[in-house]
Amino acid sequence: MGEEASFSNKNVAASTTIGSSVIPIINRLQDIFSPVDGELSKISLPQVAVVGSQSSGKSSVLEALVGRDFLPRGCDICTRRPLALMLVNRPRNPGDDGREWAEFRHLPGKRFFDFTKVRQEIMAETNKEAGSNRGVSEKQIGLKISSPNVLNMTLVDLPGITKVPVGDQPTDIEARIRKMIMAYIRQENCIILAVSPANSDLATSDALQMAREADPTGSRTIGVITKLDIMDRGTNACNFLLGKVVPLRLGYVGVVNRSQEDINKNRSMQDALAYEKNFFRDHPVYNGLSDRCGIPQLAKKLNQILEQHIRMVLPGLKSELHSRLNAVAKELQKYGDVMESKAEKETMLLNILTKYCEAFSAMVDGRSQEISTKELSGGARIRYIFQSIFVKTLEEVDPCQDLTDEDIRTAIQNATGPRNALFVPEVPFEVLVRRQIARLLDPCLQCLRFVYDELIKMSHACAVTELQRFPVLRRHLDDVMGKFIRDSVRPAERMIDSLIEIEMDYINSSNPNFVGGKKAVEVAMQQLKSSQPPSILGPLEMTEQEAVEILVTKLLLQSYYDVVRKNVQDLVPKSIMHFLVNHAKRNLHNTFIQKLYRYVHELSFDCWVEVVELVRENHVEELLQEHDEVAANRRQVKEVSLVLQQAVQTLDEVESEYLPET
């Protein structure tokens, strides 16, 4: 055992069994998480964060716990990057020479046996991120120390709270450091080691104030009072150590640091610990507080508290890891697997096309898994177009709009020639009704356009996870889909044109729903009797006969228009569904196969223009070309998934042995 040992083998041997069961689990998880630390930053592992103002003695406390000089020293801020310090107790085994060694997270596999070089590496890594002129960085340095002379624990040495910026430090250095510290100590899984020097006003200690802000109940804060040997003569920190001034549920421990003079003179840790032991033994006040004084007591207390804390949080931690693993698995599924062979890629292409068609049909039929609660979409929107928008538009069409009484009278007169009409002639009625029926074409085509727009919208909204990976395929698929729907609109347009032409070509006055001439005359006569004298719309007076003829014609126009409107209202949606919507459901898959898949095998120029443009030897690879960020994200998420699986497996292996029974 070298003279740098932190405390005697006897003391260590008595304490290493405390917490030797579960603290290494956290150490293993730290090692597992280290390659993807940034991706799992939201997972808070139990650890001890060391907080204190500049020159509070933090570094001396950590070195005393380790039993080695290894931290940067100086009169200014020394800790400029968070140092995650993992202390691993290595029990003596046959063949183990007991040598202490250190290993940095950024230099895996490289063991440092010379702790002077550990200090140099810390300084070099700090300068790499924070610069060489006292800058500060929040990027963590990971350091593991394996020794038979330490107790298992994980500590994070945080930059000391400073007031005045020096060197390259920004003017808001204090606020930045406080924010960095709070990011650690606000986590419920973090034990706060608040270090305060005894030769300052302990009641206003920066460390204790920040700890109180992050941990108002004081349930996870341990107070450490340093430099007890240089307090003013006649004063002591007894009330603080007893928790009478600033109560902490986990209590306080007082320690004696090596002075700067001791460090300059290379005073050994063993000598420093011996001095501390004698100081507390001989002090008239502190000799009665042996359980609250000394580095060995601090090490034991930290170990015990961390052990208890880990046991308490492990079940919740395991649950969180399972939850994150499930979330990552879903994300990984979104990115899919890497396809190596052409056959795999062709199979993937076929599956995507099939899923897309199924998703499109599901949206039409109302079976989509992505049901909106904000607006109508898919088949529901099409039904709304048919039943509400289209019907309302047809009902708003006035069959006599732009047709004055004078127009009707003139038409009747032109139809009778030089003779007086004994009855209302059919010719003007048919001429006028055809002209009004033609006005139904625009609302019908508008209905078709609305359905077309909805189908295009549906095509863009089809939820096929794999398509997110392949922008080239998505673009070609949208092109083929758009052309397919546009092509399907044309036969629907022709059918609608034909329906209107059919209605115009043959006026079926025998339709049972048509009012007929006799009934129209009766109604016209009744209306005239109830509204004497007759209307005069032009400069010439209108005879009673003419008034009757005009009213009869209007009634016939309205009645027959209603007959045609009901026919159109029924047949136009049927035509759109047949030629456009259901046609898409029936033939979309075959179209995709022909234009985006089949020619991959045939490599033929006998197909459509799109095929000719796209056929080339590496076409499958082109269609299934991923975004660079998709491939990068897949690798990253897969790495995180493997790490989480390993972490869950680690906890599963120790659950039965170490976790408390529920």
Side-chain angles (χ1 to χ4, degrees), residues 444-471:
C444 294
L445 294 179
Q446 182 190 55
C447 177
L448 175 61
R449 286 193 297 272
F450 285 162
V451 175
Y452 165 81
D453 291 341
E454 182 59 28
L455 292 181
I456 293 295
K457 184 178 178 181
M458 288 165 56
S459 72
H460 294 153
C462 280
V464 179
T465 303
E466 292 83 354
L467 265 180
Q468 299 175 22
R469 298 168 53 189
F470 309 117

Side-chain angles (χ1 to χ4, degrees), residues 70 104 112-123:
F70 68 98
F104 286 94
F112 290 74
F113 294 93
D114 183 348
F115 279 75
T116 301
K117 293 183 178 180
V118 173
R119 178 187 292 113
Q120 293 171 354
E121 183 62 28
I122 292 174
M123 294 172 65

Side-chain angles (χ1 to χ4, degrees), residues 399-405 407-408 432 435-436 554 557:
C400 296
Q401 187 177 356
D402 300 328
L403 198 62
T404 66
D405 288 358
D407 294 335
I408 296 174
L432 293 174
R435 191 170 78 176
Q436 299 309 95
K554 284 184 174 181
L557 288 175

Side-chain angles (χ1 to χ4, degrees), residues 27 33 95-96 153 181 237 254 265 287 305 307 318 339 342 354 421 429 441 480-481 484 497 506 515 562 602:
N27 293 344
F33 288 160
D96 188 339
M153 66 183 75
I181 292 172
K265 292 181 178 180
N287 63 7
I305 289 172
E307 155 79 10
K318 183 180 179 183
M339 297 167 292
K342 184 178 179 182
T354 301
F429 160 70
L441 182 61
V480 172
M481 182 67 175
F484 173 77
D497 286 337
Y506 178 63
V515 66
D562 288 341
E602 297 175 352

Side-chain angles (χ1 to χ4, degrees), residues 534-542:
S535 301
I536 300 176
L537 301 179
L540 301 176
E541 291 187 358
M542 189 179 296

Side-chain angles (χ1 to χ4, degrees), residues 40 83 93 116 130 195 302 311 353 378 432 438 488 565 627:
L40 298 174
L83 176 67
N93 294 315
T116 301
V195 180
L302 276 174
R311 286 184 178 274
L353 298 179
L432 293 174
S488 301
R565 177 178 56 79
H627 275 301

